[in-house]
Amino acid sequence: MELTLQLTIDCADPRRLVAFWSEALGYIPEPPPGSHATWREYWAAMGVPEEELPVGAGDSPESIVDPAGLGPRVWFQQVPEPKATKNRIHLDLKVGGGRDVPLAVRRQRVASTVERLVEAGAGVLRITDVPGMGHYAALLQDPEGNEFDVV
């Protein structure tokens, strides 16, 4: 049996998170299959009843994919309820290069990534700088409040 992994993120506005996470991960919006102009058109061709699709669902991509085909597909599932509590799972964007890279270099890599993601709509919750341990990281949140680390 073949196993593939998809990461699903509940959200209010899939378009907003597709744009943000495409920038954050270097992914691209997933085009609809075949010759379909939109995902909504594809779902209609599959027989998904119109009443099962929220207004606007599938009119623009709601998932992103790794252009190299290595990382998992990420689907932003529109849900009616807002985020209510802290994430129980989160992403780590590992941009620093690991402990073999000098701390000053890792700090610069993390800082430049944080700056880019803040410009894309992220918010900084906390910077962790523990020089004695050789650790530098940033806790951010995406435009809908989902937390993730840049390390």
Side-chain angles (χ1 to χ4, degrees), residues 29 41 63:
E41 181 184 295
S63 54

Side-chain angles (χ1 to χ4, degrees), residues 9-144:
I9 298 175
D10 290 350
C11 65
D13 186 353
R15 286 183 213 178
R16 186 175 178 193
L17 291 190
V18 162
F20 177 80
W21 283 104
S22 291
E23 172 67 27
L25 299 175
Y27 274 36
I28 59 170
E30 183 179 27
S35 60
H36 297 283
T38 66
W39 279 92
R40 189 174 201 94
E41 181 184 295
Y42 169 72
W43 295 328
M46 288 179 46
V48 176
E50 189 69 28
E51 60 271 10
E52 288 187 20
L53 301 172
V55 173
D59 290 338
S60 63
E62 297 174 353
S63 54
I64 59 176
V65 292
D66 178 355
L70 301 174
R73 175 183 194 254
V74 182
W75 176 39
F76 300 95
Q77 176 175 284
Q78 187 174 5
V79 297
E81 67 277 354
K83 180 180 181 290
T85 62
K86 183 183 184 316
N87 301 9
R88 295 299 300 238
I89 187 171
H90 69 265
L91 302 178
D92 285 346
L93 305 185
K94 299 173 86 176
V95 300
R99 295 209 180 251
D100 293 338
V101 175
L103 180 58
V105 173
R106 286 185 277 138
R107 194 178 277 127
Q108 173 56 39
R109 289 176 180 173
V110 169
S112 65
T113 298
V114 167
E115 182 178 325
R116 179 174 59 84
L117 296 179
V118 166
E119 288 177 18
V124 177
L125 297 176
R126 180 177 61 245
I127 300 292
T128 303
D129 189 1
V130 187
M133 290 180 54
H135 181 68
Y136 185 83
L139 172 62
L140 279 69
Q141 60 184 9
D142 74 11
E144 288 202 10

